[in-house]
Amino acid sequence: QVQLVESGGGLVQAGGSLRLSCAASGRTFSSNYPMGWFRQAPGKEREFVSALSGIGLSLPFYASSVKGRFTISRDNAKNTVYLQMNSLKPEDTAVYYCAAKIGGSWSNLPSEYTFWGQGTQVTVSS
């Protein structure tokens, strides 16, 4: 089993920054797992934000809505994945979730991720 715990959410003004963290633990967790960040706003479906490919490559991928503003990274020594969010906009307001995918490469589909964190709220005021 894998446990994921997000932190770092909060309330920020438009144009501000936040850094989300996702700490992974569990006997079966592998640093080779692709890791993803997703978000869900009230009344909307969960959507892809960013992901890191697995298999030791850690190549980053971004949704077009956040590209150039968000940066995903991982620290394998700490089993932690980060999402640095800059130039935040009110439309970035959502609950942000990290997720781990077992095997294969990254995906932008929530259904392909096996383990999920509990989520952390990000609110951007205008």
Side-chain angles (χ1 to χ4, degrees):
Q1 193 71 2
V2 173
Q3 293 80 42
L4 303 174
V5 179
E6 302 99 333
S7 61
L11 173 64
V12 64
Q13 289 188 329
S17 298
L18 284 172
R19 188 177 82 155
L20 306 183
S21 299
C22 173
S25 62
R27 285 178 18 177
T28 58
F29 182 76
S30 169
S31 59
N32 288 328
Y33 287 169
M35 297 293 294
W37 284 98
F38 293 80
R39 66 187 182 187
Q40 189 166 17
K44 295 187 176 181
E45 293 187 352
R46 192 165 297 189
E47 65 173 4
F48 171 75
V49 175
S50 182
L52 280 171
S53 65
I55 320 175
L57 294 178
S58 289
L59 297 175
F61 298 88
Y62 301 96
S64 57
S65 59
V66 306
K67 198 168 187 177
R69 300 188 297 123
F70 291 12
T71 302
I72 190 172
S73 62
R74 74 192 297 168
D75 183 336
N76 288 335
K78 296 182 179 180
N79 281 344
T80 300
V81 178
Y82 304 97
L83 186 68
Q84 177 66 44
M85 306 186 295
N86 298 329
S87 303
L88 283 162
K89 305 175 181 179
E91 51 263 44
D92 294 319
T93 296
V95 177
Y96 283 70
Y97 300 89
C98 72
K101 182 177 182 288
I102 297 177
S105 187
W106 74 284
S107 172
N108 63 354
L109 299 175
S111 59
E112 296 199 8
Y113 287 77
T114 303
F115 300 107
W116 291 84
Q118 82 289 350
T120 185
Q121 176 70 48
V122 171
T123 303
V124 185
S125 63
S126 57

